Amino acid sequence: MHEIVTSGFLFPNEIEVHWSIMIVIYPYITGLVAGAFIVSSLYHVFGVKELKPIAKFSLVGAFCFLNFACTPLLFHLGHPERAFNIMFTPKFTSAMSGFGYIYSFYLVLVLLEIWFVFRPQIVSMALESTGLKKLFYWFLALGNYDLSEKTLAIDRKLILFLAAIGIPSACLLHGYVGFLFGSLKSNPWWSTPLMPVIFLMSAIVSGIAVLIICYWIVMKAKGMKPDNNCLKCLYKYLWGFFIVDLTLEMLEILTMYYEAHEEWHIISRMLTERLGFSYIILQMSICSVIPMILLGIVSLTNMKDSTRNTLGIFSSALILIQVLAMRWNVVIGGQLFSKSLRGLTTYNLPFFGREGLAMAVVLVALPFITMYVFNLILPVWQKEVPKAEG
Amino acid sequence: MNKDRRNFIKQTGWSILGGGLLISVFPLLPGSAHASKNKNHIFAFIVDIEKCIGCGKCVNACIKENSVPNDFYRTWVERYHILENGEVIVDSPDGGSDGFKPQEFKHKVEKAFFVPKLCNHCKKPNCVQVCPVVATYVSKEGVVLVDDKHCVGCSYCVQACPYGARFINPETRTADKCTWCYHRIKKGYKPACVLVCPTGARQFGRIDDPESPVHKTVKEKMLQILKPETGNEPMTMYLGLDKEVR
Amino acid sequence: MRHYNHVIRFAIILTAVLIGFFAVRGFIVPESFGVYGTYMYGYHRGNSDSEEAAQPILYYGSDKCRKCHEKLYEQESQAGHSKIACESCHANWQAHNNNTRNKVLKNGSIEACMQCHKKLSARPAAFPQITDIKQHMDDQEQEFEKGMECLDCHDPHEPL
C-alpha cells in the first residue's frame, strides 16, 4: 500500500480515512433507488403517460438497487455480525439508527407495489408452468390466483396508494442519507442544511440517468426499438432535475466561499490540492456543464431521433459520473482535512480487499445482475400489457 | 346517513387517528444534542498549558495502561510554534509519546507551547448523540464510555467528534477513546496520565469535593474549552489556552 | 372481502416477519440493556460500565512503591523531584511486580533526563532546561570532560 501523504498538521487519529469507498457507493446506490422510484411514480401517480414503457422497469430497477443499498455498509462495518443492533437497540437521538427502519419500510413498500404490478403475470406464469417451477410461482402468488376484475381494481387502487406514499418515502430515504452527513456539526464540509436536498436532487438525477441508459441497452440487446417519446420525456425530466441539482451544488460552494468561515481556507486547499480532478474537473466542469448544455439542446430543439439519443445517452453517462464524483467528494473529501483545520491527509484506495475498488465494482454490478435474474423470473418487457397495470 | 355526514365522520376519524399517531410518536423523535440530560457530570479534567513541558510521559503511560494500539492515541500532546510572521506551525510526532526534538525556523519564534489533548467528556457529547446502537453513552458519573461488545464499528462517532479524540481500534474493530481511566477513577486512583505528569499540568478530580485538586480551579480560575461553538460543553478544560488552538 | 384475500395473505406474512423480529430481538438484546434508564437517557448495556471498570490497573502511584522503598521515597520527597511519581520515570508498578525487580527501569542516560530538561522553545521559560551537557557545564563555570553524564553530578532522586 502507498504511504499516506499528509501536509500540515492533523490530529494523530485523523491520518487514516475511516469512511472508505463503501460509504461512497452506499449513497450512490440508495440514490439510484430513489431516482428510479420517482420515475415510476411519475407515471403511476402523476400520470405522465409518455413514461408508460419504462414504468414497470423503473420499479424493478428501484427494487434491485434497493436490495443492495445496505450491502456496502456491511462490508464497511467493523462488526457486520452485529449489524442488526441498529434495529434491536436503536438510539433515538441518532440519525443513523433510523436507517434500518426507513430502509425496511421502503423495501416492504416497493416489494408490495412490485407484487401488485406483477401479480397478473405471476399468476399466468403459475398456470402455464409445471412441477417445481409451478410451486415457485405458486409461492410468489402466495397461492392466490384471483384475477377477477374486482380484485384487479383493488390492486390498481393499492398500486396508486403505494406509489403515492412511495414518493415521500423515497424522498425521506434519500434526504435522510443526506441528513446523515448534513447533521454532523463537527465537519464543516458536511454540515450544511443544503446537504439533504442536494443528495435528494442528485439521487433523482442519477436514477433517471441510469434508467435511460439501462432502457436503451436493453432495447438494443433485445433488438427492439426504444420508444423515442419516452426517452424524450426522460431527457426533459433529467435536464430539469439536473438544473436544480447543479444550482444547489453551486449555491452550497458559493455560500461557503463567500461566508469564508475559518474553515474555508482548508476546504479550498482540500478542493484544489486533493480533489482537483474529482471536484473541479469532473463534478463541476466536464460532467456538469456538458450534459447541461447537451440536454438543453436535446430538450429544446427538434432533431433526428438517433442524434437525440446519442446526445442524451452521452449526457446520462456523464451525469452518472458526476453524481458518483459528488458522492466521492462529499464522503472522502470530508475526511481529507483535519478538524484542526491545519492539514490534509490522503485516501489511498486499495484495489483488492474488503473495502477495495474491485469489491466496490462488484457491489455496483450486483443490482444489474439482479435485474437480469428478475427478468428471467418475471419478464419485464412482455409485449402484451397485462390488464392490471394502472 | 347522508353523504356529507359520512364524509365528516370519516374525516374526523382520520384526523383523530393521525393526531394520536403524531402525539404518540413525538417523544420517540430524535432529540437534539441533549443526550445526557439526567447525568451528573461530577468530574473535571484541567490541563494547565503553562505547566506542560512536552515530555510525553502521559502519552506513554496511557498507551501502556490502556493497551492503546500503535498509531492511535487516546491522549496526545501537540506543540505550537507561533512565528513572527504570523505563521502557526503545529506538530505532534507519534502523538508526542517520545517527547519533542528542537525545531529550527526561518522566522523568529514569537511564542511556543504544548497542548495536551484527550477526550473532552462533553456534557452534550456529539458522539453519543449519533451512535446508532447506544454503544457509546454517558455513564452516571458523566464519563463518556464505549461498549466494545455492542459497537458495530460504523465510525459515525469518529466522524462526529470535533476533537479527533476517537478512532477505530484495529484489534477490536470498534470505536475507542480516552475513558479518563474509568477503571482507575472508580477505584479512587488518578488517571494514568495525571499520575505520571511530572509538572502537574494535568489535574483530575471531582468538582464538588473541596479536597480535589480541580475543585478550586473550576470554582475560581478562568477556564477555556476547545471549540465552544459546537455546543458540546466539554468537561476537559484548559488554563492559558491560546487562540490558535483548535 | 373475497377480493382482498391476496392482500390479507401478504399482511399475514408481514405480521409474521414483524413478530419474528421482536422474538429474535428478545433473545439477542443483552439482559442488562436499559437498567440505567429507559430508551432515551441512560439507555445502554448496563454491564458495560462494570466491565470497563474491571480492567486491570498498571500504575498504582508512589504510595504503593513506598511500602518497600521507604528510604528512596523519603529521599525523593525532600528535593526538586518531590512531586513526581515513581512510575513517571520507572516502569509501572504492575510490570515491576510481575517480573520482580529486574524490570525496574533504571535509566540514567542523558536521554532520560533530556526528555524533560532538553531546551525547547515550547517549554515554559522558568522550567530548568539545558541545550546540552557541555553548554550546561560552561554555564556552571565548570570543566567539561568528554563522556560526562548527568548522574556524575546529580542524583535523580535529589537532583539539586
Side-chain angles (χ1 to χ4, degrees):
Chain A
M1 232 173 86
H2 301 285
E3 190 74 10
I4 296 172
V5 187
T6 62
S7 76
F9 172 72
L10 292 113
F11 293 134
N13 294 332
E14 287 180 328
I15 313 245
E16 190 184 310
V17 168
H18 285 285
W19 278 358
S20 65
I21 189 166
M22 290 299 147
I23 308 297
V24 176
I25 60 172
Y26 150 65
Y28 192 57
I29 297 182
T30 319
L32 297 178
V33 177
F37 192 85
I38 297 277
V39 171
S40 85
S41 290
L42 280 177
Y43 170 72
H44 284 299
V45 182
F46 295 104
V48 183
K49 291 277 175 274
E50 291 93 329
L51 296 180
K52 189 169 184 182
I54 205 173
K56 219 167 166 189
F57 174 63
S58 55
L59 199 56
V60 173
F63 178 66
C64 293
F65 288 120
L66 192 55
N67 278 319
F68 294 95
C70 282
T71 328
L73 294 180
L74 293 179
F75 277 85
H76 167 260
L77 284 187
H79 285 272
E81 78 279 7
R82 295 178 189 168
F84 272 101
N85 282 358
I86 214 167
M87 289 174 85
F88 289 149
T89 60
K91 169 106 187 163
F92 285 101
T93 57
S94 164
M96 198 183 269
S97 70
F99 181 74
Y101 295 110
I102 295 177
Y103 175 83
S104 316
F105 172 74
Y106 195 57
L107 187 66
V108 170
L109 193 143
V110 174
L111 190 68
L112 254 176
E113 192 177 340
I114 278 211
W115 190 61
F116 285 128
V117 169
F118 277 90
R119 231 173 57 82
Q121 218 169 316
I122 296 173
V123 172
S124 68
M125 301 278 283
L127 294 175
E128 281 165 23
S129 51
T130 51
L132 269 181
K133 221 171 153 194
K134 193 181 180 78
L135 191 70
F136 177 70
Y137 285 110
W138 175 86
F139 182 74
L140 280 190
L142 296 182
N144 184 309
Y145 293 166
D146 183 2
L147 283 184
S148 66
E149 194 42 54
K150 252 192 171 164
T151 314
L152 289 181
I154 289 167
D155 282 3
R156 271 197 292 277
K157 244 189 198 162
L158 285 171
I159 289 171
L160 182 70
F161 173 71
L162 289 169
I165 59 168
I167 300 168
S169 309
C171 294
L172 183 70
L173 179 74
H174 209 74
Y176 158 81
V177 174
F179 184 77
L180 277 183
F181 294 96
S183 65
L184 275 188
K185 59 186 170 190
S186 59
N187 192 320
W189 179 234
W190 291 342
S191 171
T192 144
L194 273 184
M195 195 59 86
V197 196
I198 293 178
F199 262 67
L200 187 55
M201 283 303 143
S202 57
I204 296 174
V205 164
S206 67
I208 299 177
V210 83
L211 283 179
I212 291 175
I213 293 179
C214 284
Y215 179 59
W216 194 76
I217 290 176
V218 169
M219 287 298 115
K220 284 283 150 202
K222 286 192 176 296
M224 289 154 80
K225 226 173 121 355
D227 185 326
N228 282 312
N229 275 336
C230 172
L231 278 173
K232 217 168 146 183
C233 179
L234 282 172
Y235 298 148
K236 243 179 210 165
Y237 274 106
L238 182 59
W239 189 48
F241 280 116
F242 193 55
I243 290 174
V244 180
D245 177 35
L246 205 62
T247 310
L248 288 171
E249 281 173 28
M250 289 292 205
L251 273 177
E252 185 202 18
I253 193 75
L254 277 174
T255 313
M256 270 191 197
Y257 163 75
Y258 193 79
E259 284 186 349
H261 285 282
E262 62 164 340
E263 63 267 12
W264 172 249
H265 82 274
I266 194 73
I267 289 181
S268 61
R269 271 188 60 200
M270 185 256 305
L271 292 177
T272 48
E273 289 173 30
R274 294 291 196 264
L275 300 179
F277 179 69
S278 64
Y279 186 78
I280 297 173
I281 297 183
L282 282 187
Q283 188 187 336
M284 283 309 188
S285 322
I286 295 181
C287 295
S288 52
V289 176
I290 296 177
M292 180 72 100
I293 294 169
L294 288 185
L295 285 174
I297 296 170
V298 161
S299 307
L300 298 177
T301 60
N302 278 322
M303 55 176 79
K304 256 172 48 191
D305 283 343
S306 58
T307 328
R308 190 187 317 107
N309 285 344
T310 314
L311 293 182
I313 281 155
F314 179 63
S315 308
S316 305
L318 283 183
I319 283 177
L320 275 183
I321 299 172
Q322 197 267 355
V323 175
L324 184 62
M326 178 260 173
R327 307 281 192 252
W328 175 276
N329 295 330
V330 169
V331 176
I332 302 294
Q335 303 170 81
L336 289 183
F337 63 93
S338 168
K339 284 171 190 154
S340 70
L341 310 179
R342 293 190 187 283
L344 300 168
T345 185
T346 42
Y347 171 57
N348 297 322
L349 175 60
F351 186 77
F352 296 107
R354 204 162 76 118
E355 297 187 59
L357 179 64
M359 191 55 83
V361 172
V362 170
L363 288 182
V364 174
L366 276 175
F368 296 98
I369 298 170
T370 317
M371 269 181 220
Y372 179 76
V373 174
F374 190 101
N375 191 47
L376 288 184
I377 298 170
L378 292 170
V380 181
W381 305 103
Q382 267 188 344
K383 272 276 159 70
E384 75 274 48
V385 184
K387 278 186 210 151
E389 228 191 353
Chain B
M1 213 189 296
N2 68 37
K3 224 175 182 180
D4 279 356
R5 238 166 95 191
R6 208 162 66 194
N7 272 343
F8 175 76
I9 291 172
K10 215 165 150 184
Q11 271 174 14
T12 323
W14 277 113
S15 357
I16 290 173
L17 200 73
L21 209 71
L22 211 72
I23 291 166
S24 62
V25 162
F26 193 69
L28 298 176
L29 289 180
S32 64
H34 308 281
S36 56
K37 215 176 184 174
N38 306 327
K39 304 287 181 181
N40 298 315
H41 291 261
I42 52 173
F43 291 114
F45 197 110
I46 310 283
V47 179
D48 190 342
I49 304 278
E50 282 166 27
K51 280 187 184 163
C52 181
I53 56 168
C55 61
K57 287 184 188 298
C58 47
V59 183
N60 257 314
C62 174
I63 291 172
K64 292 217 178 68
E65 178 77 26
N66 299 298
S67 359
V68 180
N70 284 347
D71 299 331
F72 293 104
Y73 301 90
R74 286 186 173 200
T75 181
W76 66 96
V77 181
E78 294 165 6
R79 174 167 65 175
Y80 282 69
H81 279 107
I82 296 165
L83 308 185
E84 224 173 16
N85 64 344
E87 212 180 323
V88 183
I89 286 153
V90 191
D91 67 336
S92 181
D94 294 326
S97 56
D98 298 326
F100 291 82
K101 304 256 167 334
Q103 231 181 337
E104 298 288 326
F105 301 100
K106 272 190 210 141
H107 296 272
K108 208 180 141 233
V109 176
E110 216 157 53
K111 52 183 169 179
F113 47 87
F114 295 104
V115 182
K117 292 270 185 82
L118 63 153
C119 173
N120 283 272
H121 292 275
C122 310
K123 271 187 178 169
K124 296 175 182 170
N126 210 187
C127 52
V128 171
Q129 182 191 18
V130 303
C131 175
V133 299
V134 219
T136 186
Y137 57 93
V138 185
S139 83
K140 53 183 184 295
E141 302 88 353
V143 180
V144 180
L145 294 176
V146 180
D147 179 352
D148 62 1
K149 292 212 176 70
H150 201 67
C151 173
V152 293
C154 67
S155 354
Y156 202 21
C157 57
V158 180
Q159 307 290 359
C161 175
Y163 307 105
R166 285 174 169 262
F167 55 91
I168 294 291
N169 187 323
E171 282 147 37
T172 60
R173 289 174 284 132
T174 54
D176 198 340
K177 68 169 196 70
C178 160
T179 61
W180 273 351
C181 283
Y182 190 71
H183 58 297
R184 299 173 58 86
I185 59 176
K186 280 290 262 190
K187 299 186 188 96
Y189 293 100
K190 297 174 190 166
C193 58
V194 175
L195 179 83
V196 299
C197 179
T199 61
R202 289 170 179 254
Q203 295 293 346
F204 175 83
R206 288 180 72 116
I207 300 170
D208 55 353
D209 176 9
E211 304 285 301
S212 135
V214 303
H215 176 76
K216 245 186 127 174
T217 321
V218 172
K219 302 276 175 212
E220 291 167 12
K221 287 279 172 56
M222 277 161 277
L223 293 162
Q224 275 149 298
I225 50 172
L226 292 172
K227 300 194 181 183
E229 72 277 9
T230 59
N232 281 14
E233 298 183 20
M235 292 304 283
T236 298
M237 303 166 207
Y238 286 81
L239 275 167
L241 196 71
D242 191 82
K243 68 179 166 58
E244 296 294 343
V245 181
R246 290 287 173 279
Chain C
M1 222 46 216
R2 188 169 62 84
H3 300 292
Y4 279 106
N5 183 288
H6 62 300
V7 184
I8 292 168
R9 289 185 187 200
F10 201 104
I12 289 170
I13 292 182
L14 214 60
T15 318
V17 169
L18 258 178
I19 292 170
F21 168 80
F22 280 107
V24 173
R25 184 185 182 276
F27 279 108
I28 288 194
V29 174
E31 241 172 67
S32 69
F33 231 93
V35 291
Y36 290 118
T38 51
Y39 64 92
M40 289 226 72
Y41 308 109
Y43 181 61
H44 65 271
R45 194 170 62 91
N47 288 350
S48 167
D49 297 49
S50 44
E51 282 166 23
E52 185 69 49
Q55 278 189 44
I57 289 177
L58 305 185
Y59 290 79
Y60 276 90
S62 302
D63 287 343
K64 192 107 172 173
C65 311
R66 188 182 186 176
K67 285 183 182 155
C68 301
H69 307 280
E70 175 74 32
K71 230 176 164 182
L72 277 173
Y73 183 90
E74 287 296 320
Q75 191 186 4
E76 159 121 352
S77 59
Q78 273 157 32
H81 279 171
S82 63
K83 288 205 174 113
I84 303 179
C86 309
E87 290 156 309
S88 206
C89 303
H90 300 289
N92 60 64
W93 184 86
Q94 194 63 45
H96 174 46
N97 181 48
N98 288 347
N99 300 304
T100 67
R101 27 179 93 195
N102 304 335
K103 264 287 173 76
V104 179
L105 183 75
K106 284 184 177 167
N107 189 349
S109 69
I110 301 174
E111 286 73 34
C113 303
M114 287 301 218
Q115 199 178 348
C116 295
H117 293 287
K118 173 93 187 166
K119 175 96 186 139
L120 289 179
S121 46
R123 285 200 165 134
F127 185 77
Q129 43 196 318
I130 62 170
T131 340
D132 54 48
I133 292 198
K134 183 166 184 318
Q135 184 73 43
H136 176 56
M137 293 303 283
D138 289 349
D139 290 347
Q140 302 292 320
E141 291 173 3
Q142 292 197 25
E143 201 69 36
F144 172 74
E145 289 163 37
K146 225 178 160 196
M148 268 185 119
E149 296 218 357
C150 307
L151 297 198
D152 294 347
C153 308
H154 301 278
D155 179 343
H157 294 115
E158 313 176 75
L160 290 178

